[in-house]
Amino acid sequence: MVPSSQSRQNRFQTRALKDLWHNASDRLQKVLPVESVSRLVSEWFDISDDRIAEILAQVRAQLPTTEALLVGKPQAGKSSLVRGMTGVCEEIIGQGFRPHTQNTERYNYPSDDLPLLVFTDTVGLGDVNQDAQAIASELLGDLQAETTRARVLILTVKINDFATDTLQQIARQIRKQHPEIPCLLAITNLHELYPADVENHPTYPPNYEEVDRAVQALQESFSGWCDRSVLVDFTLEEDGYTPVFYGLETLRDTLADLLPEAEARAIYQLLDKEASQELSHLYRDVARRYILPFSIAAATVAAVPLPFATMPVLTALQVSMVGLLGKLYRQSITRSQAGGVVSAIAGGFLAQLVGRELVKFVPGFGSAIAASWAAAYTWALGEGACVYFGDLMGGKKPDPAKIQSAMRSAFDEAKERFK
């Protein structure tokens, strides 16, 4: 078949544009001195507050955000579930929760601006019917608001607690009005029913008569209202149980089964073993639990197949990440100062940034490669920021060579992770 003139023209324009960007990138790397590159990067990060708000709104609209509605009595393990799913220590979670309504609190992870996970936690739930009705009414009022978020209701029950009438009442009301929202029964504190001579977690799942009997009874109590159940036991390091997050992989897989595809992929990445492994440095460990969701968000944005159209969006996202990391390292910085930090440590990666955008011209898989590179670059930038802020916190002047080395190593490793 003979190509139409319009088809030939489109191919010619695409080839010409591609050649233009290749020539421009070559000249950019050969002609611009380091100072000019750094200045150019700084200009990319110089965005007005109004523009930043607009960009963040666009990012939020594209993120595969999941809202987990946590309902259960005090000490039933709700905060432990948040800790297990985010890797963030209990103190940080406590600071992050904010009153939402009279009986609920909300925690946005990793940040209020760009949440990938939103936890809504019921507080003060007892066995009084009036309390249950008030909590159910507030949750139902929340659920009436239109949202693009995927939602999941997680009921947390201690394995040895059989006074669950109030919780069942709330579950019934929510499921009757919102049958489209999946419900997960999380049975916690398994070790409380281990045999007396057992001092650690067995191979998952636990196979003890007392545990099996209690689990079966709780499953029967919530049959008809819960889609799935999962056994978890999230403890603290000082409790002496290994692993600390017992049943985390099963929780991840179960949530992935209940959630839409995009949100399921995000959950899998957030709970990836390689990213959540225990590290010797507390600050770096916690920082990586923030860097990871920002990297996922960057991949989501970069998948848009429009070269350079997403650069301001990614810029604002990365500035937000660096600002958050600065606070973690006890460095109070404004958004504009965070942008300055990014431009200072990212100059050596200008070629990768340009290359990532140019690869979008490759038909078919270009955007997929761009998404992978955007995630890897964001991860590397976060690692470089940790080195930068770590030096400042230690009273040392940041070493550009050490920062660049850390970023190169992190970038190469992250490219494999985010393929």
Side-chain angles (χ1 to χ4, degrees):
M1 183 173 62
V2 178
S4 66
S5 59
Q6 182 64 44
S7 176
R8 288 195 299 271
Q9 183 179 4
N10 288 341
R11 286 204 305 272
F12 174 79
Q13 290 176 342
T14 300
R15 187 167 56 249
L17 191 57
K18 183 177 179 180
D19 291 340
L20 172 64
W21 282 120
H22 274 299
N23 293 335
S25 64
D26 289 341
R27 289 198 302 271
L28 184 67
Q29 296 179 52
K30 293 177 181 177
V31 175
L32 286 182
V34 174
E35 293 79 6
S36 298
V37 172
S38 179
R39 186 166 57 253
L40 177 59
V41 175
S42 297
E43 291 173 358
W44 281 351
F45 288 90
D46 185 16
I47 307 174
S48 69
D49 289 341
D50 290 341
R51 179 59 177 150
I52 288 173
E54 179 185 339
I55 289 169
L56 291 177
Q58 294 173 6
V59 176
R60 281 193 296 270
Q62 297 180 64
L63 286 180
T65 302
T66 297
E67 180 173 6
L69 303 160
L70 304 170
V71 185
K73 295 179 184 178
Q75 308 303 315
K78 292 175 293 179
S79 294
S80 294
L81 283 176
V82 178
R83 189 167 54 91
M85 293 177 67
T86 62
V88 175
C89 67
E90 209 162 19
E91 290 77 11
I92 292 179
I93 293 172
Q95 294 170 6
F97 270 113
R98 296 289 182 270
H100 176 55
T101 54
Q102 183 176 352
N103 292 309
T104 62
E105 293 180 337
R106 182 164 284 171
Y107 173 52
N108 295 325
Y109 174 79
S111 71
D112 291 336
D113 283 338
L114 297 166
L116 264 176
L117 289 173
V118 177
F119 297 95
T120 299
D121 180 17
T122 54
V123 293
L125 175 62
D127 291 326
V128 181
N129 288 335
Q130 184 178 359
D131 292 339
Q133 184 58 49
I135 290 172
S137 297
E138 287 188 4
L139 288 174
L140 288 169
D142 249 11
L143 294 174
Q144 288 176 356
E146 291 188 12
T147 181
T148 58
R149 292 174 179 167
R151 285 164 162 168
V152 59
L153 177 64
I154 302 179
L155 308 178
T156 59
V157 185
K158 292 178 68 172
I159 193 168
N160 55 358
D161 181 7
F162 297 101
T164 59
D165 291 347
T166 301
L167 196 58
Q168 292 178 49
Q169 179 184 340
I170 293 176
R172 279 197 299 271
Q173 291 189 55
I174 293 177
R175 291 311 301 277
K176 280 183 177 179
Q177 294 196 33
H178 293 278
E180 78 283 359
I181 297 178
C183 181
L184 175 64
L185 176 65
I187 301 174
T188 67
N189 292 70
L190 308 178
H191 66 273
E192 294 188 8
L193 290 186
Y194 287 173
D197 59 341
V198 174
E199 297 181 353
N200 203 356
H201 293 306
T203 302
Y204 189 91
N207 185 21
Y208 300 125
E209 183 178 352
E210 193 74 13
V211 172
D212 293 341
R213 187 184 304 116
V215 168
Q216 185 176 354
L218 287 171
Q219 289 173 335
E220 290 176 355
S221 298
F222 288 90
S223 62
W225 311 115
C226 290
D227 299 290
R228 299 281 295 274
S229 63
V230 63
L231 309 182
V232 295
D233 200 335
F234 294 174
T235 54
L236 298 172
E237 283 77 1
E238 55 264 32
D239 293 330
Y241 287 94
T242 305
V244 171
F245 298 127
Y246 183 62
L248 180 61
E249 291 81 5
T250 304
L251 173 65
R252 175 201 65 191
D253 295 343
T254 305
L255 286 173
D257 289 341
L258 295 174
L259 292 169
E261 182 180 358
E263 287 74 10
R265 279 201 304 269
I267 291 291
Y268 256 88
Q269 289 176 292
L270 287 172
L271 301 186
D272 177 62
K273 277 187 176 180
E274 290 184 16
S276 61
Q277 61 185 335
E278 292 186 18
L279 302 170
S280 59
H281 195 293
L282 175 62
Y283 283 96
R284 182 66 64 86
D285 187 17
V286 175
R288 284 180 175 170
R289 301 302 295 177
Y290 284 113
I291 296 169
L292 180 60
F294 275 100
S295 299
I296 296 171
T300 302
V301 174
V304 178
L306 296 174
F308 289 98
T310 57
M311 180 68 77
V313 183
L314 289 169
T315 295
L317 185 152
Q318 290 156 354
V319 167
S320 295
M321 177 188 69
V322 169
L324 190 63
L325 293 176
K327 292 179 182 178
L328 176 65
Y329 280 84
R330 302 177 184 176
Q331 304 294 318
S332 297
I333 58 176
T334 64
R335 187 177 292 274
S336 61
Q337 288 172 330
V341 172
V342 173
S343 64
I345 67 179
F349 273 76
L350 180 60
Q352 283 96 328
L353 280 172
V354 174
R356 188 196 66 217
E357 295 300 319
L358 293 176
V359 79
K360 292 184 180 181
F361 285 110
V362 179
F365 62 88
S367 292
I369 297 174
S372 173
W373 282 23
Y377 172 73
T378 303
W379 180 276
L381 183 63
E383 290 281 351
C386 287
V387 176
Y388 179 89
F389 289 126
D391 284 347
L392 288 180
M393 191 169 69
K396 298 183 291 185
K397 182 178 180 180
D399 181 353
K402 184 172 71 171
I403 293 171
Q404 291 291 309
S405 176
M407 288 185 68
R408 279 192 296 272
S409 176
F411 185 73
D412 290 339
E413 293 175 4
K415 277 194 297 184
E416 292 300 315
R417 174 178 299 161
F418 293 110
K419 270 187 178 179

